[in-house]
């Protein structure tokens, strides 16, 4: 009888252990699925914005070293009107940013001033990083736009002069889309940081944004393929002055 009880207890313990393991695995998969979905959404937003007739000037895209997309940033319901968005960044490969676009690194955007810009609406943001110094800034653990990196609202239109002038004035240009309206918008004062936990969920191990976008330590996952493919199709070649990329 004692042996039978012990066997039953062992069997129950094994079942509990397997159930716990299954639930843990399922939870991890669900979290990874959410991050993959966010990556895919970033690709959808980028493609939709680039398909707008009066969108980001192609000269600006062609001179950008990195592109960051934050889909559906929402204003906090409480507090002083802050906001928090999660998205992804891809950069051109190669030592001097002349190669194909990288796998995306997950990023977070936060700041009270964004809430004032949103006006309570979910808003998509696209940020262009226009030189190596700007890239180094966003690859830090945290960067404050306007203080640690010069930032400005991006211009619309399709003239090369506008593109050249824009990146002479700022390292990071930002655009927003809300309720179908697309425009350049200032995010000065907002904080941009790499999302380490999200990167770990997407790539299955701890990996920094620098390792992802500059050292190509990981490959593009299914969720990030649309974003990378859209960038590669829209701007396969960097047209910046080669001297500015050294």
């Amino acid at each position: 009888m004692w042996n039978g009880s012990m066997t039953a207890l062992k069997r129950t313990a094994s079942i509990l252990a397997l159930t716990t393991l299954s639930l843990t695995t399922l939870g991890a998969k669900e979290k990874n699925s959410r991050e993959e979905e966010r990556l895919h959404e970033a690709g959808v937003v980028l493609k939709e914005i680039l398909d707008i007739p009066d969108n980001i000037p192609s000269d600006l895209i062609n001179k950008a070293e990195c592109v960051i997309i934050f889909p559906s940033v929402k204003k906090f319901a409480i507090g002083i009107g802050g906001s928090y968005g999660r998205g992804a960044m891809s950069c051109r490969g190669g030592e001097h940013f002349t190669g194909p676009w990288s796998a995306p690194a997950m990023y977070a955007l936060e700041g009270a001033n964004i809430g004032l810009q949103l006006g309570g609406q979910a808003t998509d943001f696209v940020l262009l990083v226009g030189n190596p110094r700007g890239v180094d800034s966003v690859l830090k653990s945290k960067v404050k736009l306007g203080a640690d990196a010069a930032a400005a609202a991006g211009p619309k239109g399709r003239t090369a002069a506008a593109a050249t002038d824009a990146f002479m004035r700022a390292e990071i240009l930002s655009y927003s889309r809300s309720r179908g309206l697309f425009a350049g918008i200032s995010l000065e004062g907002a904080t941009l940081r790499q999302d380490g936990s999200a990167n770990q969920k997407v790539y299955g191990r701890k990996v920094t944004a620098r390792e992802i976008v500059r050292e190509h330590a990981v490959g593009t996952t299914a969720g990030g393929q649309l974003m990378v493919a859209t960038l590669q199709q829209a701007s396969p070649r960097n047209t910046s002055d080669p001297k500015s990329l050294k």
Side-chain angles (χ1 to χ4, degrees):
M1 185 174 180
W2 173 254
N3 288 336
S5 298
M6 286 297 293
T7 300
L9 285 171
K10 287 180 179 179
R11 186 180 297 114
T12 301
S14 296
I15 292 172
L16 287 173
L18 287 172
T19 301
T20 301
L21 179 61
S22 297
L23 290 173
T24 301
T25 302
L26 180 61
K29 286 182 177 179
E30 287 179 350
K31 289 180 180 178
N32 178 63
S33 177
R34 285 199 296 269
E35 303 300 344
E36 285 283 291
E37 185 177 337
R38 186 173 293 113
L39 269 176
H40 180 72
E41 189 178 351
V44 171
V45 166
L46 177 65
K47 191 173 188 311
E48 288 177 352
I49 287 176
L50 292 181
D51 285 342
I52 296 172
D54 189 24
N55 64 7
I56 302 170
S58 57
D59 287 311
L60 280 180
I61 292 284
N62 291 336
K63 285 181 168 62
E65 272 68 82
C66 300
V67 175
I68 314 172
I69 302 102
F70 291 99
S72 299
V73 178
K74 295 182 179 179
K75 182 178 177 181
F76 285 151
I78 58 175
I80 59 172
S83 60
Y84 178 75
R86 302 177 76 181
M89 176 177 78
S90 177
C91 298
R92 297 183 193 270
E95 181 183 358
H96 300 303
F97 302 95
T98 55
W101 293 90
S102 72
M106 305 300 284
Y107 267 77
L109 178 72
E110 50 200 8
N113 68 313
I114 307 173
L116 298 176
Q117 301 278 14
L118 294 179
Q121 300 296 326
T123 303
D124 306 315
F125 290 104
V126 176
L127 284 68
L128 308 182
V129 186
N131 56 45
R133 185 173 56 187
V135 176
D136 285 339
S137 294
V138 299
L139 288 178
K140 294 176 182 176
S141 58
K142 183 181 291 188
V143 57
K144 189 170 184 178
L145 301 180
D148 303 319
K156 293 175 65 178
R158 301 190 174 277
T159 65
T164 301
D165 181 61
F167 273 138
M168 286 179 64
R169 292 183 291 104
E171 296 164 350
I172 300 175
L173 301 175
S174 49
Y175 294 85
S176 71
R177 182 183 66 167
S178 180
R179 301 180 70 176
L181 299 176
F182 179 74
I185 189 171
S186 174
L187 292 178
E188 191 167 332
T191 299
L192 185 65
R193 64 174 176 82
Q194 52 183 294
D195 192 340
S197 61
N199 283 323
Q200 184 173 358
K201 290 169 188 171
V202 170
Y203 297 109
R205 62 184 178 89
K206 288 186 177 181
V207 60
T208 66
R210 183 176 293 276
E211 289 172 331
I212 296 169
V213 303
R214 296 298 292 139
E215 300 174 14
H216 303 283
V218 295
T220 304
T221 62
Q225 287 177 2
L226 178 60
M227 175 179 170
V228 174
T230 299
L231 285 169
Q232 195 60 38
Q233 181 178 7
S235 181
R237 190 170 67 88
N238 192 337
T239 61
S240 298
D241 182 349
K243 292 180 181 179
S244 70
L245 300 176
K246 294 181 179 180

